[in-house]
Amino acid sequence: MDAETGPAAPQDQWKSYCRTISLLAFQSFGVVYGDLSTSPLYVYKSAFSGRLNNYRDETTIFGLFSLIFWTLTLLPLLKYVIIVLNADDNGEGGTFALYSLLCRHAKFSLLPNQQSADEELSTYYQPGVGVIISSPLKRFLEKHRKLRTCLLLFVLFGACMVIGDGVFTPAISVLSAISGLKDPGPGGIPDGWVVFIACIVLVGLFALQHRGTHRVAFMFAPIVVVWLLSIGVIGLYNIIHWNHRIFLALSPHYVIKFFKMTGKDGWLSLGGVLLAITGTEAMFADLGHFTAASIRLAFVGAIYPCLVLQYMGQAAFLSRNMSAVEDSFYQSVPSLACIVVMFVTTWLMALVIIFVWQKNILLTLLFVVAFGSIEVVYLSAAVTKVPQGGWAPIVFAFMFMLVMYVWHYGSRRKYLFDLQNKVSMKWILTLGPSLGIVRVPGIGLIYTELVTGVPSIFSHFVTNLPAFHQVLVFVCVKSVPVPFVPEDERYLIGRIGPREYRMYRCIVRYGYKDVQKDDENFENHLVMSIAKFIQMEAEEAASSGSYESSEGRMAVIHTEDTTGTGLVMRDSNNEASGTSLTRSSRSETLRSLQSIYEQESGSLSRRRRVRFEIAEEERIDPQVRDELADLLDAKEAGVTYIIGHSYVKARKNSNFLKTFAIDYAYSFLRKNCRGPAVALHIPHISLVEVGMIYYV
């Protein structure tokens, strides 16, 4: 039995893999390849919309098709399918994914919150990447902050051009498709009705978006597949019926002849040829929804051959019917955003090849010269489209980039203020374990953006509040330059000050694709994590013979593994309130209000109530037992979330540009974004906000 099933297991796995890849490839038709598939609607008519319209002969048609064919072959097929798709960030693609890769392999990030513990994440380095080798270029870029700022702006501009292009591309594609319903005769559909029908289709398309990528893909994939097969068959028919000599144009010799004959007019037509690769960047940008193998399969197996047949068929038809070009004339297509994004990707890929893949710089130069030169030619021709409509995505891109950079700049200045005004540990030690105030039962969670040290707002709390909690935890919700952080590696726990101060630090790490959901068991996870850290610290101290607290040390606490905490967690939902180990410090009125609030809030009322006890059967050091007991007493007394309600202002001696960016633009963005309490899913009944002004 085993002998028969043994060899069959790899075969079954291979079949399952093939089915999965085929399914994902089928879904990608409805999400990734919509723009590429509809580009034959307007490529030739846009290319002939300028002075090229004066060259109506077979040589021009053949040269134009040869140009389209080699553009499709070199950029989407060779550059993206074969090279760029290998530069994924743990399955994620796009401009920010490349920037994230670079920030992990070189110190390009402008926000100084990196920690060595982040490099221990299982998703931090790509498989097969060894020791990061330093180079003069890497040290040069890391040393100069202005160059790193320029790199960030370059990335933001590329990402914003995708957004700007996305504003117009659906409307252009749908309007071009609907315009095919027009009949040149007197009984044809007028332009007004074409626009009206296109608007209805667009509203319907956007109404379906909220159902998610999975359902949209399944809904539109069959339509795109039928469309591709149809245009492929039509193209093949046109080749056979009109001019089978079009196969000669597969030779790049016709490209040379095209430019020799048309000169500058041929160069200006590149803006129309560029539309043939509109949507190419989506193959990399949408990589997170699919896999590289499925996207490659769909492109090589269907997209590329069908598009080549269609463009070849159109050229064969136009070579015998020159007047048909004007019937599909539509010249207001903004050809520019697409090539700018490709150009940004080329230069980011060059840095990835050097710093991430650690290849020879000559290979990088070959990549840049081979693809960058092609894109520069297209970019120079696309610039001529700016007065005809290409300015629109540029304006949108600059607006979005300005918003993103102002937010980044303001957040960075605020973080640097906290970093430069940290509370001195010497001052905290002089206050003693009581911190100079009354320590009352309970856990105080102080939210801060700092990953090291004590924020300045803590001194504001101590000097303005008459009492503070018995256990203090400084919580930092941090974004790490990886797509996802595994749940079991999310928490970093450390200690602040000596053991008797009962002050801890918790860093909660999220990737840039992680969704910060409402964690109903966050308080329980936090208590278990701190308890496990206390046990780990004691075990290491016992092995080294020193019982000094390891201040500043951070440890990854695996929340899925509850062993080694010295605690027992019991369900207290059905227990009487009098069975708790300690009496709650909250008044009867406050507890009554909390009970009413939890009944009205559906999410909080479903939270699991637990009670912790110290495991009696385990042998625990007396100091550790006392610390665990204080932690449990504080948990039973209640948890309070403390957030600084900050107001960021520019210093009085700041220049006009900085004052406008901080006092008006950044302030406007902060007021119109979700507050920290909402973003962090903090229950309002347990929230305390303390105001503070930042002069940055």
Side-chain angles (χ1 to χ4, degrees):
M1 184 73 176
D2 294 338
E4 294 179 358
T5 57
Q11 186 178 2
D12 292 339
Q13 292 178 357
W14 172 251
K15 290 181 179 179
S16 176
Y17 173 78
C18 291
R19 284 196 297 268
T20 303
I21 293 299
S22 301
L23 180 62
L24 290 175
F26 175 74
Q27 290 179 313
S28 68
F29 286 112
V31 176
V32 177
Y33 295 114
D35 290 341
L36 270 175
S37 301
T38 56
S39 58
L41 289 170
Y42 38 71
V43 170
Y44 281 107
K45 59 189 175 185
S46 182
F48 279 101
S49 63
R51 296 178 182 176
L52 196 67
N53 200 35
N54 298 325
Y55 302 86
R56 296 196 175 191
D57 53 64
E58 184 178 275
T59 304
T60 304
I61 297 294
F62 278 31
L64 191 59
F65 164 70
S66 185
L67 195 58
I68 294 172
F69 170 75
W70 285 106
T71 301
L72 273 173
T73 302
L74 291 176
L75 293 181
L77 181 61
L78 182 58
K79 177 188 171 183
Y80 278 87
V81 172
I82 297 179
I83 300 177
V84 175
L85 287 180
N86 293 314
D88 66 291
D89 183 11
N90 292 285
E92 296 295 327
T95 307
F96 281 137
L98 293 178
Y99 183 68
S100 173
L101 277 176
L102 293 172
C103 289
R104 299 208 301 270
H105 292 79
K107 297 178 181 178
F108 290 161
S109 177
L110 295 174
L111 198 63
N113 64 346
Q114 297 83 17
Q115 293 176 285
S116 57
D118 296 337
E119 299 181 15
E120 300 175 3
L121 287 169
S122 59
T123 56
Y124 200 83
Y125 290 118
Q126 288 185 315
V129 176
V131 180
I132 304 301
I133 301 175
S134 182
S135 65
L137 178 61
K138 178 182 176 183
R139 291 192 296 269
F140 179 76
L141 292 174
E142 291 177 343
K143 182 180 179 181
H144 294 83
R145 185 172 64 86
K146 291 184 178 180
L147 291 178
R148 291 185 283 129
T149 303
C150 291
L151 177 62
L152 175 64
L153 290 173
F154 189 63
V155 171
L156 290 179
F157 182 69
C160 291
M161 284 299 284
V162 175
I163 300 175
D165 180 60
V167 173
F168 298 99
T169 300
I172 293 169
S173 299
V174 172
L175 189 60
S176 298
I178 301 299
S179 64
L181 298 176
K182 292 194 298 183
D183 191 343
I189 299 177
D191 291 340
W193 278 101
V194 170
V195 174
F196 179 72
I197 295 173
C199 290
I200 294 177
V201 173
L202 284 170
V203 170
L205 290 175
F206 284 108
L208 294 172
Q209 297 245 340
H210 74 282
R211 296 186 176 273
T213 305
H214 179 74
R215 293 186 178 180
V216 172
F218 265 114
M219 184 176 298
F220 288 99
I223 300 174
V224 176
V225 169
V226 172
W227 165 261
L228 285 169
L229 294 177
S230 300
I231 64 175
V233 171
I234 293 172
L236 184 61
Y237 167 80
N238 286 331
I239 295 170
I240 299 172
H241 185 266
W242 293 106
N243 192 349
H244 61 273
R245 293 182 61 253
I246 190 63
F247 282 101
L248 297 175
L250 294 176
S251 170
H253 173 67
Y254 279 85
V255 176
I256 300 174
K257 292 178 63 177
F258 173 80
F259 284 113
K260 280 185 177 180
M261 186 173 65
T262 60
K264 183 181 178 181
D265 297 336
W267 168 72
L268 292 174
S269 70
L270 291 178
V273 178
L274 179 62
L275 296 175
I277 54 175
T278 301
T280 298
E281 183 67 22
M283 289 194 291
F284 187 51
D286 293 338
L287 189 58
H289 297 293
F290 308 98
T291 63
S294 62
I295 290 179
R296 287 189 177 106
L297 177 62
F299 185 84
V300 176
I303 299 294
Y304 182 75
C306 289
L307 289 180
V308 169
L309 286 174
Q310 172 56 210
Y311 286 119
M312 188 182 294
Q314 280 196 55
F317 173 78
L318 291 175
S319 66
R320 296 289 187 264
N321 303 272
M322 297 295 180
S323 60
V325 175
E326 295 181 357
D327 293 338
S328 57
F329 178 76
Y330 188 77
Q331 70 178 50
S332 61
V333 180
S335 52
L336 184 59
C338 174
I339 194 61
V340 168
V341 177
M342 290 186 178
F343 190 68
V344 170
T345 301
T346 296
W347 285 99
L348 290 179
M349 272 298 302
L351 296 177
V352 168
I353 292 173
I354 296 176
F355 299 129
V356 181
W357 294 352
Q358 300 179 19
K359 301 297 183 181
N360 192 288
I361 194 170
L362 294 178
L363 185 64
T364 305
L365 291 176
L366 179 63
F367 177 84
V368 172
V369 171
F371 299 109
S373 58
I374 299 174
E375 291 163 352
V376 165
V377 173
Y378 276 111
L379 183 61
S380 63
V383 169
T384 62
K385 286 283 187 178
V386 171
Q388 302 176 15
W391 58 269
I394 296 178
V395 171
F396 274 92
F398 271 108
M399 290 172 55
F400 294 135
M401 186 182 71
L402 184 63
V403 170
M404 291 182 182
Y405 185 73
V406 166
W407 180 263
H408 180 274
Y409 176 76
S411 301
R412 182 173 178 271
R413 299 303 303 179
K414 181 176 178 293
Y415 185 87
L416 290 177
F417 179 91
D418 273 334
L419 197 63
Q420 296 165 1
N421 295 273
K422 292 190 296 186
V423 176
S424 169
M425 281 303 303
K426 183 178 180 181
W427 178 74
I428 294 179
L429 293 175
T430 57
L431 296 177
S434 66
L435 300 177
I437 53 178
V438 179
R439 301 288 291 269
V440 297
I443 296 179
L445 303 183
I446 304 175
Y447 279 79
T448 175
E449 295 179 359
L450 290 180
V451 295
T452 59
V454 178
S456 58
I457 200 170
F458 178 70
S459 61
H460 194 60
F461 293 154
V462 172
T463 55
N464 287 275
L465 297 178
F468 227 70
H469 299 83
Q470 176 185 1
V471 174
L472 295 179
V473 183
F474 291 86
V475 180
C476 172
V477 180
K478 173 186 174 182
S479 179
V480 186
V482 295
F484 301 97
V485 174
E487 288 284 346
D488 209 32
E489 302 176 27
R490 195 174 299 282
Y491 289 88
L492 273 176
I493 303 294
R495 185 188 296 279
I496 299 178
R499 186 190 301 269
E500 58 271 15
Y501 278 61
R502 303 298 191 254
M503 295 169 61
Y504 310 93
R505 183 186 310 282
C506 173
I507 299 178
V508 188
R509 302 179 292 184
Y510 288 93
Y512 58 83
K513 291 282 287 185
D514 279 324
V515 179
Q516 299 184 21
K517 298 180 181 179
D518 183 11
D519 188 356
E520 299 179 354
N521 296 315
F522 171 71
E523 296 175 6
N524 299 331
H525 284 159
L526 182 62
V527 171
M528 296 293 285
S529 299
I530 295 176
K532 194 168 186 178
F533 172 80
I534 295 171
Q535 289 280 67
M536 290 172 56
E537 186 184 51
E539 292 173 1
E540 293 179 2
S543 61
S544 62
S546 173
Y547 287 87
E548 296 292 330
S549 61
S550 54
E551 179 188 340
R553 174 184 176 272
M554 303 294 293
V556 179
I557 303 299
H558 301 286
T559 55
E560 300 297 328
D561 183 13
T562 59
T563 60
T565 60
L567 302 182
V568 177
M569 186 168 58
R570 304 187 186 280
D571 195 341
S572 62
N573 276 331
N574 299 324
E575 295 182 10
S577 59
T579 60
S580 59
L581 295 180
T582 59
R583 182 176 60 85
S584 174
S585 62
R586 300 187 181 190
S587 65
E588 293 293 335
T589 304
L590 183 58
R591 281 185 285 176
S592 175
L593 289 174
Q594 183 177 10
S595 177
I596 296 173
Y597 176 79
E598 291 180 352
Q599 289 177 4
E600 294 179 352
S601 176
S603 60
L604 287 179
S605 62
R606 294 191 298 268
R607 289 189 176 184
R608 181 188 177 194
R609 300 187 180 208
V610 299
R611 181 166 54 88
F612 294 97
E613 296 177 356
I614 300 177
E616 297 294 338
E617 64 275 9
E618 293 191 18
R619 296 181 180 179
I620 303 177
D621 181 87
Q623 289 186 353
V624 174
R625 183 177 291 274
D626 291 343
E627 190 170 4
L628 290 177
D630 289 344
L631 179 64
L632 298 189
D633 291 347
K635 173 64 171 66
E636 290 295 325
V639 179
T640 302
Y641 298 79
I642 305 167
I643 291 183
H645 192 83
S646 57
Y647 299 89
V648 184
K649 299 288 184 181
R651 293 180 180 179
K652 294 183 179 180
N653 59 348
S654 302
N655 56 43
F656 171 77
L657 191 60
K658 179 180 177 181
T659 302
F660 178 81
I662 296 295
D663 291 354
Y664 297 96
Y666 183 67
S667 177
F668 174 80
L669 293 176
R670 283 178 60 88
K671 289 178 181 178
N672 289 275
C673 291
R674 295 185 303 168
V678 178
L680 298 171
H681 306 284
I682 295 176
H684 295 288
I685 195 68
S686 305
L687 176 64
V688 174
E689 290 188 280
V690 179
M692 184 174 180
I693 299 179
Y694 287 74
Y695 288 101
V696 299

